[in-house]
Amino acid sequence: MHQVSDFRSDTVTLPTPEMREAMATAELGDDVLGTEPTVTKLEKMTADLLGKEAGLFVPSGTMSNQIAMALHCQPGQEIICEYGAHTYNNESGALAYIAHAQVRPLHGEYGIMDPKGVELLVRPSNIHNPRTALISVENTHNAAGGTIIPHENILALADVAKLHGLKYHLDGARIWNAHVATGLPLTEMCAPFDTISVCLSKGLASPVGSVLVGSAADIERGRYLRKQLGGGMRQSGILAACGIVSITKMIDRLSEDHANTRKLAEGLKQIKCVDLDLTTVHTNIVYFSVPGRESEFDEWMQRLNDRKVLAMYLGSRWRMVTHNDVDAEDVDRALAAWQEILG
Ligand SMILES: *Cc1c(COP(=O)(O)O)cnc(C)c1O
């Protein structure tokens, strides 16, 4: 069993032995000077995997999303996204700071935006309104519980974007999880979008990195934005080498994380005071609450830690995430700890 069962996030994954080996042997250059063979290889492989012309390796999902926002929006223009979207809530206000855009959020159900609702938010074209520039979707949707956005919904929103001449972006930090859970080909899932941001450092276990993919022209402009944001890296092939292991070896195993999450969620659901909606448990994330007992959360956190289980709460909800560094035994340990604390 692991020394500590860390369910705080899938970002805590450590590089696998194969990644450490790949780092040690990676062919390196200087990406800012234009010759980094391993970075170039990762960018090309990721673009091919997702069915787009080109890719851009960046330090974080935040930078990747925000480069896309700045590509698609002029200052003062507007973005439509779901109310709980990471780009809107969890990127430190970068939309205002970098793209100088404003947001028109829509409340979705399980992270899914109603296409008619989105269409109503598209601004009429006149001098008083901001211009709507972009629809942004998140799949899987983190705050809604790692929920999968149905492909029909993605296509219906694409129709709205096309009809109104809007750009269409996917925050696909965990698109891998949606792909493995649905069996839909990645190229089909990504086809409707102009740009897609994917994370290598979540379920795919790389230490650092995201890739933005899109048309060759968008990615070329994105390279300037990355440099302006201080994201030009030098021997970044060290990191890209891990990314290549991520996209070639770490995708299919996500089904193990999904099975572990299901087991965890079903076990938690058995505890009487736990409020957990199993219909939101699609992939590797589970949220639950224990209504009326929020004042005890810090004490529970300590008691979990004493039992070598790490989890976290955000407001009134606990979040637990499975990944490559927790297994079925860690799930048993976590369930035993929660039963002791709450049972
Ligand atoms: C983690 C995450 C990101 C990017 O996060 P970074 O920590 O900047 O890499 C973007 N979108 C979603 C949905 C995420 O979960």
Side-chain angles (χ1 to χ4, degrees):
M1 189 178 318
H2 295 105
Q3 246 191 337
V4 174
S5 305
D6 192 345
F7 291 92
R8 288 173 302 166
S9 174
D10 46 9
T11 57
V12 303
T13 44
L14 298 179
T16 62
E18 195 174 351
M19 287 178 189
R20 290 183 187 269
E21 175 68 23
M23 289 169 103
T25 56
E27 192 189 342
L28 302 175
D30 185 321
D31 193 49
V32 182
L33 297 185
T35 51
E36 221 313 333
T38 306
V39 170
T40 302
K41 186 171 167 193
L42 171 68
E43 290 176 342
K44 169 123 187 38
M45 285 175 77
T46 311
D48 287 348
L49 185 64
L50 303 179
K52 297 295 174 192
E53 282 175 2
L56 183 68
F57 182 52
V58 295
S60 70
T62 297
M63 191 184 286
S64 181
N65 276 328
Q66 294 301 330
I67 287 173
M69 302 288 138
L71 280 175
H72 299 315
C73 298
Q74 297 299 312
Q77 292 189 341
E78 206 161 62
I79 291 163
I80 298 173
C81 67
E82 205 280 326
Y83 202 83
H86 194 282
T87 44
Y88 174 42
N89 298 285
N90 304 103
E91 300 186 4
S92 321
L95 272 171
Y97 190 64
I98 296 167
H100 305 288
Q102 59 184 36
V103 179
R104 205 161 194 219
L106 177 70
H107 279 285
E109 208 175 342
Y110 302 121
I112 302 162
M113 293 187 283
D114 171 26
K116 289 200 188 72
V118 168
E119 190 149 27
L120 286 171
L121 294 186
V122 176
R123 302 283 192 172
S125 163
N126 65 48
I127 200 168
H128 305 287
N129 297 133
R131 286 182 78 160
T132 308
L134 173 71
I135 300 173
S136 182
V137 172
E138 186 173 312
N139 193 18
T140 66
H141 194 293
N142 184 343
T147 51
I148 297 165
I149 309 300
H151 196 58
E152 314 81 73
N153 178 256
I154 301 254
L155 293 174
L157 293 171
D159 288 343
V160 176
K162 196 177 279 170
L163 187 66
H164 295 276
L166 311 178
K167 296 291 183 177
Y168 195 29
H169 173 72
L170 175 65
D171 177 356
R174 295 189 182 79
I175 189 68
W176 321 111
N177 297 82
H179 157 65
V180 166
T182 60
L184 274 177
L186 282 164
T187 48
E188 188 180 336
M189 298 176 85
C190 295
F193 297 99
D194 294 294
T195 48
I196 298 125
S197 166
V198 295
C199 284
L200 306 169
S201 64
K202 306 245 164 110
L204 302 193
S206 270
V208 173
S210 279
V211 182
L212 180 69
V213 301
S215 70
D218 276 347
I219 295 305
E220 193 184 320
R221 281 204 298 137
R223 252 174 232 290
Y224 273 83
L225 284 160
R226 181 184 67 176
K227 182 70 163 55
Q228 289 175 317
L229 295 171
M233 300 181 286
R234 302 295 180 166
Q235 283 74 51
S236 37
I238 289 266
L239 298 171
C242 295
I244 290 171
V245 177
S246 281
I247 62 169
T248 52
K249 303 286 175 67
M250 303 300 287
I251 297 176
D252 290 342
R253 66 150 301 287
L254 293 172
S255 56
E256 294 169 37
D257 299 346
H258 299 172
N260 286 332
T261 297
R262 172 94 349 225
K263 180 176 167 188
L264 177 63
E266 283 171 358
L268 287 164
K269 182 81 183 161
Q270 305 280 310
I271 303 173
K272 249 212 215 120
C273 56
V274 166
D275 183 4
L276 190 160
D277 180 0
L278 279 175
T279 61
T280 68
V281 182
H282 298 177
T283 55
N284 70 327
I285 301 177
V286 56
Y287 282 97
F288 62 96
S289 57
V290 189
R293 297 183 65 182
E294 290 75 14
S295 63
E296 297 171 65
F297 281 10
D298 281 330
E299 184 199 321
W300 296 350
M301 180 98 88
Q302 191 53 55
R303 290 175 65 186
L304 283 172
N305 294 357
D306 293 344
R307 287 161 181 76
K308 306 257 181 285
V309 175
L310 302 185
M312 67 180 183
Y313 67 85
L314 306 148
S316 62
R317 298 193 301 168
W318 284 87
R319 188 180 85 154
M320 296 180 77
V321 185
T322 62
H323 50 73
N324 191 45
D325 292 343
V326 289
D327 57 22
E329 286 190 350
D330 294 295
V331 169
D332 290 336
R333 181 197 255 167
L335 285 173
W338 276 117
Q339 271 149 7
E340 238 181 280
I341 294 167
L342 299 175

